[in-house]
Amino acid sequence: MVKILTVCGNGIGSSLMCAMKIEEICQEEGINASVSSCDFNSVTGKDVDLVVTIKELADQITTIKTAPIRSYTNKKKIKEDVLEAIKGLVK
């Protein structure tokens, strides 16, 4: 199972919506994934395979593999930005 964490500034709105979109994408692609969300300050120490967030925050996360996204809510853009990274973790 791939463990994915979505991150935004406060961890209550944008990252939750993004987590829901990524869950949908993983289900559509047949990828077994656990997707959760949190705020930027809570990322350190999380046991995850991939962090998904906007580029400005991704650049500040250096200890966990990140996949920068262009949008927290646009499913098409999220899929374009993260699907290959997620598939790379499954193989």
Side-chain angles (χ1 to χ4, degrees):
M1 175 181 291
V2 178
K3 292 183 277 185
I4 301 168
L5 180 67
T6 61
V7 176
C8 68
N10 294 322
I12 54 176
S14 300
S15 61
L16 181 59
M17 292 177 61
C18 185
M20 294 168 58
K21 301 291 184 192
I22 291 177
E23 283 179 346
E24 291 175 12
I25 292 166
C26 287
Q27 287 176 354
E28 292 168 2
E29 297 292 326
I31 297 170
N32 186 14
S34 169
V35 185
S36 58
S37 62
C38 77
D39 67 283
F40 177 74
N41 292 324
S42 300
V43 172
T44 303
K46 295 285 186 182
D47 180 25
V48 296
D49 300 309
L50 180 68
V51 171
V52 176
T53 189
I54 57 173
K55 184 178 184 326
E56 291 79 7
L57 296 179
D59 289 345
Q60 299 176 53
I61 300 170
T62 58
T63 57
I64 305 171
K65 181 177 180 167
T66 60
I69 54 174
R70 292 170 286 166
S71 168
Y72 283 113
T73 58
N74 185 309
K75 184 176 173 180
K76 181 181 178 205
K77 287 182 180 177
I78 294 169
K79 187 173 184 177
E80 290 173 356
D81 293 341
V82 303
L83 185 56
E84 290 305 314
I86 294 171
K87 284 183 174 179
L89 295 171
V90 173
K91 294 177 182 177

